[in-house]
Each structure stands twice: as C-alpha cells, then as structure tokens.
Amino acid sequence: MSGDTITQSATSQTTPSRTTPSRTTPSRTAPSRTARSKTATSTPVALTRAARELGLRRGEFELAVQLGYVRTVPDDKGGGPRVARAEIDRVRDADGFPEALRERVTVLGTRDGAALMGVTPARFTRFARLGLVVPVKFYLNRYRAVVWLYLAEELRQFAAGKENTRLLSGRTPEGLRDQLDAGLDLRPRNWRGRHLGFQLRQTEDPWERAAVVASLLDPAQVAEIVQDPYERALLNRLRPARSAHDTHDSPAAVLTARIMTADASDEIGWLRADLRQSLAEAREHRPAPRPSPGVPDERPPETTTAVELSGASEEAQRSRGLFGWLRRRNP
C-alpha cells in the first residue's frame, strides 16, 4: 500500500477543505521512498560492476574506457573513477549490444592479426615496425618477450583499404626496406603516443595532465624541467598507475620501464616542451602543496636535481632514474 493511499483513507471522513490539500500534497513517507529509489538508480557504480553489467572482461572494459566507448565520472568521495547508471543504459541501448561493443575492443596478437589480414606473421611484423599498424596494448610473456596487441577493427580497416593492396601482396617498397634494415621499430614509440592520448582524455586536472606527460620521460629529464622538489613530488604522486610485470629491478621490470620511457631525441624534445607547457598551466591553476608556516620544512621524496645528476655519467643517470621510478611505482 503506497503512502498516497494511506493519506487518502485517513482523510476521507474529513471536510472537503482539508481533503483537497491532502490529495494534492504527497505524504512525507512517499517522497522519501521515491528519493531513496532515485538515489539508488542514479548513483554511479564501481568499474568492476559496470564491466559485469556490460558483459565485458576486465581488459575489455579498460580498453572500452580508454577508447571512449564507455565514459567515466569522478567519485564524489575521492575514490577512483565510476560509471553513471545513465551511461550503462546508453551503452546497453546501442545497436548490436553486446556483440558490437566486444568487437570494437577485441585485440589480436601478431599471428592472429596476420591471419585476419591474410598476410604472413613476418609481413605483419614489418607493418608494425614501420608504424602502419599501431599497437594498443602490450604484455610480457613467460619468456620475457614483448607481445604487442592490436585492435582487430583497425586491422580490418587497414586490410580493406585500396591504398594498402600492394603492401599486402607485393614486395615492400625499397625505401621502407631500407628503414627496416636500419633497425627501425616504431612499436614502442607509437604505443607511447597512443597511451598518452588515452591518459590525457581521462583527466582534466592540470597537475594530473602534467604528471601523465612526465611519466613518459626519464626522471633525469623531469628533474631538469621541474626543479622545485614539491612540484616534482606532486607529479610523482599523480603519475598514472601501471601494471607491474615484475618486481623492483628485475629484467622484466626494466624492460617494461624501457618501453614506457621515450628514447628518440625528437620524441623526448616534444615531451619536454609539452611538460613545460603543462607545468605552466598547472602552476596557474593552483600551486603545489607545501608545508604550512611554522612546520619544519622537510624535503619531500624525489628531490634529485639536475645539478646533482650532472656529475654522473649518462648511463648511470638513466639506471638510477629508472630503478628509482620502479621502486616508487611498484606496489
């Protein structure tokens, strides 16, 4: 029995002047129940629950978020991102759900990708090294070999392009062969560029955006640009979390860090310029937190400066920076 029914039966023997407002004014119990119901259906849900309701595995859901197929919202209580109920309904109401969504986030390795495109794995690898197809994810197998993964949807589009017909069946053009012979491999760099775009799309906070850019630079490079230790400590805290393939200074962890760190001079120069610009915007937005007046000024973590780094060799700088970063980032 609803709250409105209870109100009407209780007032049926009263005068009309009192009955009229009771019919037009809801009882106190009805709005509270309605409010609780609306709150339950409108409260954003955790990512794991959203993935379950959309019928996606964890990796598929993460990729759907990165590609913008599923939009997230910040948690009002300061937790991680969540998914609004309206967003879940929107995705589920789309044509072809859930098969269409799963196809858009399907990833393939070299062998399966080559089979999809109708080429040999060796030819497919050449495409990837030349940057003609761009990896979307990677992982290390049990032999510590890098396994690159590609979006099946993009591979289909590449194979269907008329301009790629000669590449799929004919000899590799001489200019491209020369680049391959010289050792060109754009897979790590292209993955970093794509990863940077994913991360930047998921945040609007200026300091977090600066941290995303800084995460792709060696700490020695960051220290030269961000000389304030408190700003550097803030960037370290806001670095995007990444999966740990191994612990501390293991070969697998070093290899992962190498893939995630820019190494080409032009790429480093572009990231350094982007970091300077992002840092200027972040400073204008709000200053990095510092000790309050009267509180002992203790140096925050990661206080290595460019001056201190200049006394060491370039290789020692890189090793120290990488290993220090891994120790901080690995759980």
Side-chain angles (χ1 to χ4, degrees):
M1 183 179 296
S2 68
D4 288 338
T5 304
I6 295 173
T7 302
Q8 292 172 10
S9 62
T11 59
S12 59
Q13 298 179 356
T14 61
T15 62
S17 60
R18 295 186 180 179
T19 304
T20 301
S22 66
R23 288 189 183 129
T24 58
T25 305
S27 66
R28 294 184 178 180
T29 56
S32 60
R33 292 177 182 175
T34 303
R36 286 197 298 268
S37 176
K38 289 182 178 180
T39 301
T41 58
S42 62
T43 301
V45 301
L47 300 185
T48 52
R49 179 173 175 179
R52 185 169 59 251
E53 295 193 17
L54 294 176
L56 298 176
R57 294 189 290 269
R58 178 179 177 180
E60 293 174 333
F61 180 80
E62 290 176 352
L63 193 53
V65 171
Q66 291 175 342
L67 293 169
Y69 299 149
V70 179
R71 298 186 293 262
T72 61
V73 295
D75 185 3
D76 294 338
K77 298 181 180 179
R82 302 173 75 84
V83 181
R85 174 60 57 185
E87 177 66 6
I88 295 177
D89 294 339
R90 182 192 68 81
V91 175
R92 297 181 67 172
D93 290 341
D95 293 338
F97 177 85
E99 290 77 11
L101 179 59
R102 290 199 188 101
E103 288 181 4
R104 298 172 80 180
V105 296
T106 296
V107 293
L108 301 174
T110 297
R111 185 175 301 277
D112 292 337
L116 176 64
M117 297 174 64
V119 299
T120 65
R123 185 181 290 265
F124 182 92
T125 299
R126 290 197 292 271
F127 290 161
R129 288 179 57 190
L130 290 166
L132 300 177
V133 293
V134 179
V136 70
K137 297 176 68 175
F138 79 91
Y139 69 91
L140 304 184
N141 64 16
R142 58 180 176 176
Y143 305 108
R144 297 197 185 99
V146 182
V147 178
W148 297 101
L149 299 174
Y150 307 82
L151 284 172
E153 184 178 42
E154 292 183 352
L155 300 184
R156 291 191 192 95
Q157 293 173 357
F158 182 88
K162 293 182 179 180
E163 67 278 10
N164 300 323
T165 302
R166 293 184 58 186
L167 292 172
L168 293 170
S169 56
R171 288 177 56 84
T172 303
E174 184 177 354
L176 298 181
R177 288 203 308 270
D178 293 341
Q179 295 181 55
L180 293 171
D181 293 340
L184 177 69
D185 188 353
L186 294 177
R187 288 174 294 183
R189 176 171 181 165
N190 284 342
W191 176 85
R192 287 191 294 269
R194 192 164 210 169
H195 179 71
L196 177 63
F198 286 163
Q199 296 293 333
L200 290 177
R201 281 198 297 270
Q202 295 182 57
T203 179
E204 296 181 357
D205 179 79
W207 280 105
E208 290 183 4
R209 296 177 68 86
V212 169
V213 178
S215 69
L216 298 181
L217 286 168
D218 185 278
Q221 301 280 349
V222 177
E224 291 180 6
I225 299 172
V226 191
Q227 298 187 6
D228 187 307
Y230 296 101
E231 292 181 342
R232 202 159 55 245
L234 178 59
L235 294 179
N236 288 333
R237 288 198 301 271
L238 296 177
R239 282 177 183 266
R242 63 182 178 88
S243 300
H245 295 278
D246 216 322
T247 57
H248 301 296
D249 301 342
S250 68
V254 173
L255 177 57
T256 300
R258 188 178 305 158
I259 292 173
M260 301 188 71
T261 305
D263 54 4
S265 58
D266 58 336
E267 182 187 10
I268 292 173
W270 174 73
L271 288 171
R272 285 172 62 98
D274 199 10
L275 178 57
R276 289 191 181 95
Q277 178 63 32
S278 300
L279 192 62
E281 295 174 358
R283 288 166 175 162
E284 187 175 336
H285 178 69
R286 71 176 186 273
R290 300 173 182 276
S292 301
V295 176
D297 187 6
E298 298 181 0
R299 296 188 69 174
E302 184 58 32
T303 56
T304 305
T305 64
V307 175
E308 293 169 338
L309 288 170
S310 62
S313 67
E314 181 178 353
E315 183 63 27
Q317 293 175 19
R318 184 172 185 83
S319 299
R320 182 171 58 205
L322 281 174
F323 293 153
W325 178 31
L326 289 167
R327 290 191 185 98
R328 291 192 303 275
R329 292 303 305 157
N330 275 329

